[in-house]
């Protein structure tokens, strides 16, 4: 069984973020906010984890949003409407716990991490919560889904590192303002590891501001996605080991040893660079062949 691409669009103005809608009736039936899928594009492809950014049970579709960072995400960006993906495995990981909280729930979405915030914000809003969303990116071109997040948020705050849209600066500044303004029940941060680390340092009560329970979505390297390979393991500050695929991907951010995770995040950098170079050479050779034969 293969999985057809029904829709594809570029998000923002960066040229590196894409949204794809896939025909996956069985997975869509069982999908919840917080779940992810493992995708293998073709028989020589690696398995890459991508969060379910939206789903439609009636149409039997899943939406994924991804940023091109290496070979597999580049190959995925080269697929078009009507093309078939070889494997889509899921839904994997834990769905988030939906309930009505006493005080507002704050989402902090950084870059492509804005997309996985959407289904969680939508389901928590439907449960009657007040949702405040902080969306951050390096620049305006990398922002997307402001309307979609706006539709499920009571308040939305935009920030960019270079000030090209919204407030100039990082997401932790408006988060500090919200912590000073009033009580919050929960913070959910999804984005680069470094952003999630600083969000947890802002909400852990060590800076004179109130401590607020904070979930982060761990984007560790994953292989099987079912707790067997150990690739996604993450150390906790009390010396225990968790597995992002089966214990998460959303976990209590205050127990994660981010320094260790950040050290391990680039351990395959050389191989990833090589793999991308080879793919780029292959693309160039194919383009030349096509031009020669037309
Ligand atoms: C649960 C989960 C959900 C994710 N959801 C999204 C999403 O919705 N959108 C999105 O753009 N990205 C998401 N990611 C990250 C995405 O899986 C990686 O960007 C992708 O695997 C990179 O593959 P690549 O070949 O293009 O790049 P590579 O050249 O392989 O690597 C580039 C970077 O991606 C990281 N990476 C490589 N392989 C993996 C892997 N198997 N798992 C995790 N990170 C990896 C590396 O640390 C490196 O920094 C998610 C990761 C996890 C664990
Ligand atoms: S991906 Fe293998 S144990 Fe989590």
């Amino acid at each position: 069984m293969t999985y057809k691409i029904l829709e594809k669009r570029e998000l923002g103005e960066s040229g590196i973020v894409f949204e794809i809608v896939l025909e996956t009736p069985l997975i869509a039936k069982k999908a919840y906010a917080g779940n992810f899928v493992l995708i293998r594009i073709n028989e020589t492809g690696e398995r890459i984890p991508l969060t379910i950014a939206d789903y439609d049970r009636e149409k039997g579709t899943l939406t994924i949003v991804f940023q091109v960072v290496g070979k597999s995400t580049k190959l995925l960006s080269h697929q078009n409407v009507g093309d078939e993906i070889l494997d889509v495995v899921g839904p994997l990981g834990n769905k988030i716990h939906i309930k009505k909280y006493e005080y507002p729930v704050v989402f902090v979405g950084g870059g492509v991490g804005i997309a996985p915030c959407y289904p969680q914000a939508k389901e928590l809003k439907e449960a009657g919560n007040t949702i405040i969303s902080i969306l951050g990116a390096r620049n305006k071109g990398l922002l997307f889904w402001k309307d979609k997040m706006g539709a499920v948020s009571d308040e939305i705050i935009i920030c960019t590192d270079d000030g090209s849209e919204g407030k100039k600066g990082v997401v932790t500044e408006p988060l500090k303002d919200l912590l000073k303004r009033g009580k919050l029940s929960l913070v959910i941060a999804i984005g680069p590891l470094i952003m999630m680390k600083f969000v947890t340092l802002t909400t852990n009560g060590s800076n004179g501001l109130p401590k607020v329970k904070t979930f982060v979505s761990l984007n560790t390297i994953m292989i099987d996605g079912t707790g067997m390979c150990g690739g996604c393991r993450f150390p906790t500050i009390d010396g225990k080991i968790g597995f992002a695929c089966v214990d998460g991907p959303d976990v209590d951010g205050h127990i994660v040893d981010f320094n260790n995770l950040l050290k391990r995040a680039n351990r395959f950098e050389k191989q990833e660079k090589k793999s991308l170079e080879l793919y780029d050479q292959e693309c160039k050779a194919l383009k030349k062949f096509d031009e020669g034969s037309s």
Side-chain angles (χ1 to χ4, degrees):
M1 182 173 181
T2 52
Y3 302 85
K4 196 188 260 179
I5 298 179
L6 300 177
E7 292 171 41
K8 177 190 175 191
R9 57 187 72 87
E10 213 176 293
L11 297 181
E13 296 155 12
S14 61
I16 56 166
V17 181
F18 296 87
E19 172 183 343
I20 278 182
V21 178
L22 288 169
E23 188 176 41
T24 55
L26 293 178
I27 303 176
K29 241 190 224 172
K30 303 268 179 188
Y32 288 96
N35 290 148
F36 67 95
V37 286
L38 277 172
I39 286 189
R40 194 163 64 112
I41 301 162
N42 55 33
E43 48 305 322
T44 56
E46 65 169 352
R47 293 149 65 91
I48 58 164
L50 294 171
T51 308
I52 296 173
D54 206 357
Y55 55 84
D56 186 323
R57 292 195 205 290
E58 274 170 26
K59 288 188 190 154
T61 60
L62 285 188
T63 301
I64 49 168
V65 172
F66 62 95
Q67 179 168 338
V68 175
V69 291
K71 188 219 160 170
S72 298
T73 44
K74 196 168 212 180
L75 177 62
L76 189 56
S77 76
H78 291 163
Q79 309 304 303
N80 291 308
V81 172
D83 288 348
E84 309 261 341
I85 302 285
L86 182 62
D87 291 328
V88 181
V89 178
L92 297 167
N94 296 301
K95 59 181 180 184
I96 59 153
H97 183 57
I98 303 291
K99 69 168 194 175
K100 167 81 177 79
Y101 290 93
E102 195 175 356
Y103 305 110
V105 176
V106 176
F107 279 88
V108 183
V112 74
I114 294 169
C117 288
Y118 174 73
Q120 302 199 16
K122 184 169 103 178
E123 290 187 16
L124 283 164
K125 180 76 189 149
E126 282 166 5
N129 289 288
T130 299
I131 306 291
I132 307 176
S133 297
I134 304 173
L135 310 185
R138 284 200 306 277
N139 56 56
K140 183 181 171 194
L142 285 161
L143 284 168
F144 60 90
W145 280 15
K146 284 173 284 180
D147 297 354
K148 235 173 137 145
M149 281 303 287
V152 293
S153 305
D154 296 273
E155 185 179 346
I156 190 153
I157 302 163
I158 308 280
C159 17
T160 49
D161 293 1
D162 64 357
S164 50
E165 188 164 339
K167 290 173 193 261
K168 185 174 192 295
V170 289
V171 289
T172 43
E173 290 311 311
L175 180 59
K176 279 182 199 157
D177 294 340
L178 291 175
L179 287 162
K180 285 177 202 157
R181 194 170 85 184
K183 287 192 174 165
L184 303 174
S185 282
L186 183 66
V187 172
I188 299 173
I190 311 181
L193 273 180
I194 193 75
M195 180 204 90
M196 295 192 286
K197 172 184 166 175
F198 281 100
V199 166
T200 59
L201 290 175
T202 307
T203 58
N204 69 3
S206 66
N207 50 4
L209 293 167
K211 181 172 179 175
V212 180
K213 178 98 176 157
T214 299
F215 283 110
V216 295
S217 184
L218 290 181
N219 45 7
T220 50
I221 290 201
M222 285 189 184
I223 299 148
D224 64 298
T226 56
M228 290 188 285
C229 70
C232 69
R233 70 190 179 281
F234 64 92
T236 63
I237 48 172
D238 56 358
K240 295 194 180 117
I241 293 287
F243 295 98
C245 65
V246 287
D247 298 323
D250 289 40
V251 300
D252 178 353
H254 293 147
I255 61 153
V256 175
D257 180 348
F258 277 101
N259 292 338
N260 182 301
L261 267 189
L262 280 160
K263 250 190 247 158
R264 287 175 48 229
N266 296 325
R267 64 198 187 281
F268 298 118
E269 204 176 348
K270 252 195 213 157
Q271 292 90 333
E272 287 161 358
K273 218 173 138 205
K274 186 80 202 154
S275 167
L276 182 59
E277 273 169 18
L278 287 172
Y279 178 65
D280 283 342
Q281 279 167 17
E282 200 183 304
C283 289
K284 259 191 211 154
L286 272 175
K287 201 172 163 216
K288 254 195 195 160
F289 178 78
D290 284 347
E291 282 165 2
S293 59
S294 63

